[in-house]
Amino acid sequence: MMRTPDALQLRLDGLPRVRLGHFPTPLEKMERLASHLSEELGKPVPSLWVKRDDCSGVATGGNKVRQLEYSFGAAQAAGADTAVITGAVQSNYMRTAAAFAAKLGMECHVQLENRVEGMGEEYHKSGNVLLDRMFGARMHHFPLGEDEKAADTNLNSIAARLKREGKKPYLFTLSADTKPVTSLGYMQCVVELFEQSIAGDMPFDAVVVPSGSAATHVGTLLGLRLAGYTGPVHGICVRRDAKSQTERVLSITRLAEDMLGCGEIVPESDVICRDDWLGPSYGKMVESTHEAIDLAGRLEALIVDPVYTAKSLAGLIGLTRAGAFEGMGNVLYIHTGGLPALFAYRSAIYPDD
């Protein structure tokens, strides 16, 4: 899969980081899913592996744990005592940030953006929202859902008020023009994958990740390229169409390269975004989402959520069916967690219950 993690690790050493995650996360073979697809297609498929970042610890885990270790490291280095963050109502990012803040003794303010229209009470009060409250986060509701600049402007207003009250807030923003500190978490994940791949003699021929804010996608892609891995990294769109997401991933990749001072490592042609399993919009389920939830549970006892992981797993399944991995030996799927959001979608997953 790769040569050595040493050069990549050297770039990450010394950067501010708060170590709260449970790492390394497991790497497991999805034998029953691969067997199901092989039987369906009437031919062998590659070995399908899952990187279990749903097991990363801290408030049910997920990919945000890796990302926020570096964000909170930067916040502590800046002397902050308050985390101010924005995201969707059922944001895994905000839930994990609230948990980090609680562990570190910081105040936390979360801004809930209404990105998914037409959702009922269980969506607005259960799942991640319930956990936000349990971790002591102060809630701020924002009516718009697809205007990152407006959300960040309002977040700045909240931070300004906190400063007037004598607080030292640190803003956690995800807009495409901010310094992509969160991407460092998945560069660190690449180092971990190096070690597991070498120890298990499991060279991976392709990688599949969800692509939303793009921190996981960018960190994985840039980290792998810095490590010398040249295989495809498929980003499965969970919020935007492929064209918009490709532009976003490339833009953030360039910011990340600049942040590391490594020059342009990732060519534009390496940015792969697929929106075949996105559906009408962020947070809305389609048939492939339902299928992924069903197959993951019945065949592998994996829990995937309707917003991120079910859609990205649907991408892995769809790409396998389409022959995208023909002739390959091992394909890796990164499971980015998101368990609490599942409970906000109970009636959508089982509408007749």
Side-chain angles (χ1 to χ4, degrees), residues 60 77 88 106 152 161 163 173 207 210 220 248 268 299 352:
T60 78
M106 297 173 66
D152 285 351
R161 177 177 58 78
K163 285 181 181 178
T173 60
V207 178
T220 302
R248 182 185 181 90
E268 187 173 346
L299 299 179
D352 299 325

Side-chain angles (χ1 to χ4, degrees), residues 38-67:
S38 179
E39 183 176 347
E40 173 192 309
L41 296 170
K43 59 182 178 180
V45 302
S47 293
L48 303 179
W49 294 81
V50 55
K51 178 65 170 164
R52 294 291 305 275
D53 271 12
D54 57 319
C55 301
S56 62
V58 188
T60 78
N63 61 330
K64 309 307 181 185
V65 175
R66 292 190 190 273
Q67 297 175 10

Side-chain angles (χ1 to χ4, degrees), residues 12-84:
L12 298 172
D13 286 344
L15 295 173
R17 181 184 177 192
V18 174
R19 296 174 184 265
L20 292 182
H22 301 174
F23 302 124
T25 57
L27 188 63
E28 299 177 358
K29 202 171 187 179
M30 296 188 286
E31 293 184 3
R32 296 196 68 218
L33 178 60
S35 177
H36 172 84
L37 292 172
S38 179
E39 183 176 347
E40 173 192 309
L41 296 170
K43 59 182 178 180
V45 302
S47 293
L48 303 179
W49 294 81
V50 55
K51 178 65 170 164
R52 294 291 305 275
D53 271 12
D54 57 319
C55 301
S56 62
V58 188
T60 78
N63 61 330
K64 309 307 181 185
V65 175
R66 292 190 190 273
Q67 297 175 10
L68 287 168
E69 284 196 335
Y70 284 94
S71 294
F72 272 90
Q76 288 200 329
D81 60 13
T82 305
V84 185

Side-chain angles (χ1 to χ4, degrees), residues 238-320:
V238 299
R239 184 175 175 186
R240 301 170 190 85
D241 64 84
K243 182 178 183 298
S244 300
Q245 189 65 13
T246 299
E247 293 170 355
R248 182 185 181 90
V249 172
L250 184 61
S251 173
I252 296 175
T253 298
R254 295 293 176 248
L255 288 174
E257 290 166 339
D258 185 61
M259 178 176 67
L260 292 177
C262 63
E264 289 194 6
I265 299 295
V266 179
E268 187 173 346
S269 58
D270 280 7
V271 177
I272 304 170
C273 295
R274 298 289 300 267
D275 61 9
D276 309 60
W277 306 275
L278 172 62
S281 64
Y282 173 88
K284 293 292 187 181
M285 296 181 64
V286 290
E287 185 177 342
S288 59
T289 319
H290 283 280
E291 183 193 33
I293 291 172
D294 177 61
L295 292 179
R298 285 193 302 104
L299 299 179
E300 299 293 345
L302 286 175
I303 301 169
V304 292
D305 81 294
V307 184
Y308 296 98
T309 47
K311 289 187 177 181
S312 54
L313 184 63
L316 174 75
I317 294 167
L319 289 169
T320 303

